[in-house]
Amino acid sequence: TLNAPASVTGNFAQQKFAVTINVPAGIQYSLSGLPLTGPATLSLPAGSYNLALSSPQSTGVGSRAVFLGWSDGGAQSHNIVVTSAAVTVTGTFKTQYQLTVAANPPNEGSVSQASNFYDGGTEAVATAIPNPGYTFEFWSGNCAGSSPLCVIPINAPESVTANFSLPLNWVQLLPAQSPPARFDHSMAFDQARGQVVLFGGTDQNSVSLGDTWLWDGVNWKAASGGPPARSRAAMGYDPV
């Protein structure tokens, strides 16, 4: 009943809906320019919103996440349309790990590989390539052996080093003095003195020998003393 002038006010609010973006923790993206990280839920009115992200993204030292797809089938960057209900979009990613390769020394060779990053659970192949005049020796790091081809299981960041050197060649030496020809002799390296010790053996007339000779890397020298003549004996260096 109106007995005097009166006024009324109608209050309205724009209806909003939950928009949920599910991605792994740490993944960065944007929704219509709003920067977001990890899973997020926003309350938004009906409309079109641009969902965008970059790929790949670093997830730590030597690892990264690579985008595979959105649950709504949209492209890596696309619009989400909100009409009259909540919207959920989930992103799928795969993890890749870095394989770091090195050559030692770097001027003597190189290491080739198909890529720097590989899917977790797969295998990577590294190949050692010596430069002209050098030879591949062995692998170190997460690979072992002397085959130029190395297969590395990738379940975490890995690193391998190919070791190179000058090729080892036999060179005939003609020292001024040498022990007589023999076989079945004993020989060992004296690490403390840096010389090879040769003892005994059998000469070409099947006579056992009891002489001792020392090789210093340049020449042979006869040494005095030693056990009785014998052949097929064992000799070893004892540092104690």
Side-chain angles (χ1 to χ4, degrees), residues 2-237:
L2 291 177
N3 297 309
S7 64
V8 295
T9 301
N11 296 283
F12 301 88
Q14 188 177 29
Q15 189 175 9
K16 295 183 178 182
F17 306 93
V19 176
T20 300
I21 309 299
N22 287 322
V23 293
I27 294 297
Q28 298 179 343
Y29 58 100
S30 66
L31 190 62
S32 288
L34 175 67
L36 299 167
T37 301
T41 298
L42 294 84
S43 182
L44 300 173
S48 179
Y49 301 90
N50 181 255
L51 175 62
L53 62 78
S54 62
S55 177
Q57 294 189 24
S58 174
T59 55
V61 178
S63 64
R64 68 185 188 182
V66 178
F67 173 76
L68 294 178
W70 294 110
S71 59
D72 63 354
Q76 182 172 315
S77 295
H78 69 289
N79 290 334
I80 296 175
V81 178
V82 179
T83 54
S84 58
V87 175
T88 298
V89 179
T90 300
T92 303
F93 297 78
K94 66 179 178 180
T95 300
Q96 291 186 334
Y97 297 105
Q98 185 176 25
L99 173 61
T100 303
V101 300
N104 177 45
N107 65 306
E108 296 184 3
S110 60
V111 181
S112 70
Q113 59 172 330
S115 174
N116 292 328
F117 281 85
Y118 300 87
D119 293 351
T122 63
E123 292 181 333
V125 177
T127 305
I129 305 173
N131 288 339
Y134 298 94
T135 184
F136 169 68
E137 289 289 328
F138 62 92
W139 292 101
S140 55
N142 296 99
C143 190
S146 57
S147 170
L149 197 67
C150 177
V151 179
I152 309 105
I154 302 296
N155 296 297
E158 305 284 0
S159 63
V160 296
T161 299
N163 297 277
F164 301 91
S165 70
L166 288 168
L168 299 177
N169 297 316
W170 286 98
V171 178
Q172 184 176 7
L173 301 179
L174 301 172
Q177 182 179 225
S178 298
R182 67 193 64 205
F183 60 91
D184 290 340
H185 52 277
S186 304
M187 185 179 291
F189 179 67
D190 185 338
Q191 184 176 352
R193 296 176 176 82
Q195 59 188 9
V196 175
V197 180
L198 180 149
F199 171 75
T202 304
D203 67 11
Q204 57 187 357
N205 297 315
S206 299
V207 176
S208 293
L209 302 173
D211 54 345
T212 301
W213 291 80
L214 304 176
W215 170 254
D216 61 5
V218 177
N219 218 335
W220 285 102
K221 178 182 178 181
S224 59
R230 68 191 68 189
S231 61
R232 299 184 180 180
M235 182 184 294
Y237 170 71

